Amino acid sequence: MIEKIVDPEKMRHFPPKGGKIELYWVYTSGRAGEEFFRKLREGKFIAAKCKKCGHRYFPPRIYCEFDFSETEFYEITGEGCVEAFTVATLDLNEEPMEEVIAMIKLDNTDGKIIHVIKDAKEVCIGMKVRPVLRRPEEMKGNISDIAYYKPV
Amino acid sequence: MEVEIVKGLKFHKKQDVAIVGAGMTTFKRRLLETGKELSYFAVKQALEEAGLDIKDIEMVVMGSAPDAFDGTALKGEYLLDGAGGSDRPYLRVFVGGGTGVFAPIAGYWHVASGLADVCLVVCEEKMSCCHPHPQSAFKYIWDPILDRPLKPNLIWIFALEMRRYMHVNNIRHEDIALVSVKNKANALDHPCAQVAEKITVEDVLNSEPMALPVRRLDVSPPSDGAAALIMVAPHIARQLTDEPVWVTGVGWALDTTHWTNRDLYFPRYVAEAAKMAYRMAHITDPRKQIDVAEPYDPFDYKELHHMEGLGLAKKGEAPILTREGVTARDGDLPVCPSGGLLGVGNPIAATMGVKACEIYWQLAYRAGKRQVAKEVTTGVCQAWGDLMQVGTVMVMSNKR
Ligand SMILES: [Zn+2]
């Protein structure tokens, strides 16, 4: 049997008003993130290479998580290829939607990100994609500064 | 069926536990670095002091207080890569403000049990990102039906406790303010300090009222930071140093969450935790056997309150010891020689840097300008938190 969701407010003698956590956060992108989003505003992409083992981090980081060495930033194209994808048809609240979400491996790095794929008739694994950036004045310093990815 | 239980704690450890390195970041509001990056800085420093590489670390314990500060759920996992936790046994522990000493206790049992020979303990807190004020995150620790509709505030609660402590023991605010004066001055010698200052008792008594008797300078500031500590088995310690610091006792206890049903003048939870740690460390007279102490001091009265819980002073006697200079850095029982939370700052769990790390540095004679004047063998650190209900205690010694 699958339990149907019922209204929990009906289960109390005093109908509760509900409750809210009235907090908000000013998040930090970090030393590496700050550099990344600054460069992105200039239309450039950077990754970070470990000075010891050579692991190429994307998104960039200031340290290597495997040997705790420092890293150095270097420029990349931002292009990559699709490693996995899904077509999402229900959103968080189970309302209908349609969007292609892909895991994208960035060229010349060992790193991946997830992002939305648009303007594609068909999506397949191995497909080459390139980023479409927002206009610099619309950028907020988070991943949505890349508007979406589209086929090369 | 009746089950026969042998009462009392049994300490069957597999091996002794030594501390061989520690590190911490400056405490301040830091908007540039992420919590992962702060953890990385602290760990890197601890590894360098110990002469170890991250590859030598077998297990990692992370201590961090409520997720609500950083605003990420599963905060332990979020911080993992900066704390050196990738691809090894990694565990986050959390007892609110008590975490700064509870995390090293968890590190201790990783090594004492024989599960690990090298365990890294990392504590991180980033409060500056929580708005409108990090204090708001504490609103949600109270019972949503019985307490929260009254809009309680942590400072009020501490004001009630401070008033009760002053009333029962007949203590004046002037005597409590001396703790703030001492700790903020001690912090002048700490390179990581946020609010080190030469102030007077009058400055404290004339500072902005928050919830009387609590005034601005009675209180430690919210902060961001990280600290790290490396615990190892004896055969590893021998290879790294001639002078390791040994963990000789650990203890923790929680009192009821119905905090209104206790008498606030005495911290029973600290006394219980200390009893456990002292039994393990064979300490029968803490006032005589302990050379240096770092009790938790988010408020000035709390240092006194906790000294009494730790048995370093009789009930009501801690303010007298403070007035007589016994607890000064050159006194007979130096208390909070680091400058404590009042002087160095209060990034909740990361206060391990001024509690467990400081006692390690003092006993290893690595505290630099903060080194206490007397010869030291045994020290105790303690933290406190949750809904004013947890005591966490660790005893260390430079003699095995
Ligand atoms: Zn590396």
Side-chain angles (χ1 to χ4, degrees):
Chain A
M1 275 261 298
I2 294 170
E3 190 194 358
K4 287 278 182 201
I5 296 170
V6 291
D7 183 0
E9 296 199 356
K10 298 211 170 71
M11 298 170 78
R12 260 191 73 188
H13 179 72
F14 293 98
K17 284 254 170 62
K20 263 207 180 99
I21 291 193
E22 309 110 14
L23 298 175
Y24 66 96
W25 293 273
V26 177
Y27 290 108
T28 302
S29 46
R31 289 195 186 184
E34 194 82 0
E35 190 65 20
F36 176 73
F37 288 110
R38 244 184 254 226
K39 282 282 188 304
L40 201 62
R41 189 169 280 189
E42 300 166 16
K44 291 178 184 157
F45 271 72
I46 55 165
K49 184 186 270 176
C50 173
K51 288 180 181 173
K52 193 169 171 187
C53 72
H55 191 91
R56 298 165 303 170
Y57 287 95
F58 185 86
R61 301 187 206 171
I62 60 167
Y63 57 86
C64 172
E65 78 175 88
F66 303 111
D67 55 35
F68 264 47
S69 291
E70 289 174 0
T71 62
E72 54 195 356
F73 298 136
Y74 65 99
E75 213 170 305
I76 55 170
T77 61
E79 293 182 5
C81 66
V82 173
E83 273 214 348
F85 67 94
T86 177
V87 182
T89 49
L90 284 180
D91 74 6
L92 274 180
N93 301 312
E94 309 215 335
E95 301 294 337
M97 65 174 284
E98 186 162 330
E99 207 156 52
V100 180
I101 313 288
M103 179 177 276
I104 300 158
K105 168 111 175 7
L106 276 280
D107 292 350
N108 194 26
T109 76
D110 300 306
K112 295 162 217 172
I113 52 168
I114 55 159
H115 222 300
V116 178
I117 306 269
K118 285 188 180 168
D119 305 340
K121 282 203 194 75
E122 210 178 341
V123 181
C124 62
I125 288 177
M127 189 171 85
K128 285 282 290 174
V129 289
R130 69 178 179 84
V132 177
L133 301 186
R134 273 187 214 286
R135 290 204 305 275
E137 62 272 22
E138 290 175 342
M139 287 187 172
K140 292 183 189 144
N142 67 37
I143 198 66
S144 71
D145 291 358
I146 304 170
Y148 57 90
Y149 270 77
K150 68 176 195 181
V152 171
Chain B
M1 193 179 94
E2 266 187 42
V3 181
E4 195 185 327
I5 294 174
V6 183
K7 290 264 179 198
L9 293 157
K10 293 161 287 293
F11 310 116
H12 301 304
K13 66 183 158 189
K14 178 87 178 158
Q15 55 191 0
D16 284 339
V17 181
I19 301 180
V20 290
M24 67 188 278
T25 67
T26 39
F27 287 177
K28 60 180 178 184
R29 297 189 192 207
R30 315 176 67 128
L31 213 55
L32 179 59
E33 293 93 354
T34 59
K36 298 163 187 263
E37 291 173 344
L38 293 175
S39 304
Y40 165 73
F41 294 140
V43 171
K44 187 99 174 146
Q45 203 183 322
L47 286 170
E48 262 164 40
E49 187 171 296
L52 288 170
D53 188 86
I54 192 74
K55 293 205 163 56
D56 301 321
I57 301 297
E58 292 178 309
M59 298 192 185
V60 178
V61 172
M62 162 57 75
S64 200
D67 290 353
F69 285 138
D70 301 53
T72 48
L74 297 182
K75 182 165 142 188
E77 287 75 355
Y78 166 76
L79 294 167
L80 178 140
D81 59 276
S86 297
D87 298 324
R88 20 176 96 78
Y90 174 90
L91 165 81
R92 175 196 179 189
V93 294
F94 160 49
V95 278
T99 309
V101 172
F102 192 69
I105 290 174
Y108 169 86
W109 77 55
H110 277 61
V111 178
S113 63
L115 272 177
D117 283 341
V118 185
C119 182
L120 168 66
V121 182
V122 191
C123 282
E124 179 274 355
E125 212 72 64
K126 190 167 170 62
M127 303 171 77
S128 66
C129 46
C130 184
H131 290 258
H133 189 285
Q135 166 91 251
S136 311
F138 290 115
K139 279 200 273 192
Y140 307 97
I141 68 175
W142 277 290
D143 188 292
I145 304 293
L146 298 175
D147 294 339
R148 216 183 289 167
L150 300 171
K151 300 190 171 67
N153 164 326
L154 270 196
I155 312 278
W156 304 357
I157 304 307
F158 301 141
L160 296 174
E161 191 178 69
M162 178 168 166
R163 181 83 76 188
R164 189 76 196 141
Y165 175 65
M166 291 166 75
H167 174 80
V168 172
N169 293 314
N170 194 22
I171 294 164
R172 298 171 314 151
H173 198 162
E174 287 86 324
D175 284 332
I176 291 175
L178 279 169
V179 173
S180 193
V181 173
K182 166 177 72 74
N183 291 5
K184 283 177 188 293
N186 281 351
L188 286 166
D189 295 322
H190 205 303
C192 301
Q194 179 177 13
V195 283
E197 233 182 330
K198 261 247 137 12
I199 56 165
T200 63
V201 167
E202 286 67 41
D203 291 334
V204 179
L205 299 183
N206 295 327
S207 64
E208 183 187 4
M210 296 180 81
L212 289 173
V214 175
R215 289 172 181 270
R216 180 69 67 184
L217 291 178
D218 290 309
V219 181
S220 59
S223 193
D224 301 350
L229 202 61
I230 297 172
M231 295 179 149
V232 302
H235 66 279
I236 307 284
R238 261 199 305 279
Q239 299 170 52
L240 296 169
T241 173
D242 293 333
E243 287 140 353
V245 171
W246 302 95
V247 180
T248 51
V250 300
W252 67 99
L254 283 96
D255 206 335
T256 171
T257 304
H258 293 276
W259 60 277
T260 49
N261 292 11
R262 319 179 208 136
D263 195 335
L264 298 176
Y265 88 102
F266 183 74
R268 216 162 52 189
Y269 39 89
V270 173
E272 285 300 321
K275 198 161 87 184
M276 173 176 165
Y278 291 160
R279 273 192 58 187
M280 201 186 292
H282 305 294
I283 286 177
T284 47
D285 185 352
R287 174 70 185 85
K288 285 217 175 69
Q289 288 169 272
I290 284 170
D291 304 309
V292 55
E294 277 283 349
Y296 209 59
D297 63 324
F299 290 71
D300 44 11
Y301 81 93
K302 265 305 192 181
E303 172 173 313
L304 306 170
H305 203 233
H306 291 153
M307 278 173 67
E308 294 171 17
L310 287 167
L312 299 173
K314 295 192 199 74
K315 288 178 182 174
E317 190 197 20
I320 300 165
L321 296 181
T322 307
R323 199 190 318 138
E324 291 172 348
V326 173
T327 62
R329 200 182 272 153
D330 58 359
D332 185 49
L333 175 63
V335 176
C336 293
S338 67
L341 282 59
L342 286 164
V344 184
N346 186 1
I348 315 290
T351 57
M352 178 173 85
V354 288
K355 297 297 153 197
C357 297
E358 180 70 12
I359 291 299
Y360 155 71
W361 280 318
Q362 290 288 344
L363 298 179
Y365 285 88
R366 283 180 169 174
K369 281 165 81 181
R370 303 188 309 282
Q371 189 65 46
V372 301
K374 67 182 288 196
E375 195 181 316
V376 286
T377 304
T378 304
V380 66
C381 59
Q382 171 258 329
W384 155 83
D386 284 339
L387 223 173
M388 314 167 68
Q389 71 193 128
V390 65
T392 52
V393 175
M394 180 174 274
V395 183
M396 299 178 207
S397 175
N398 52 27
K399 297 246 157 52
R400 196 172 171 185

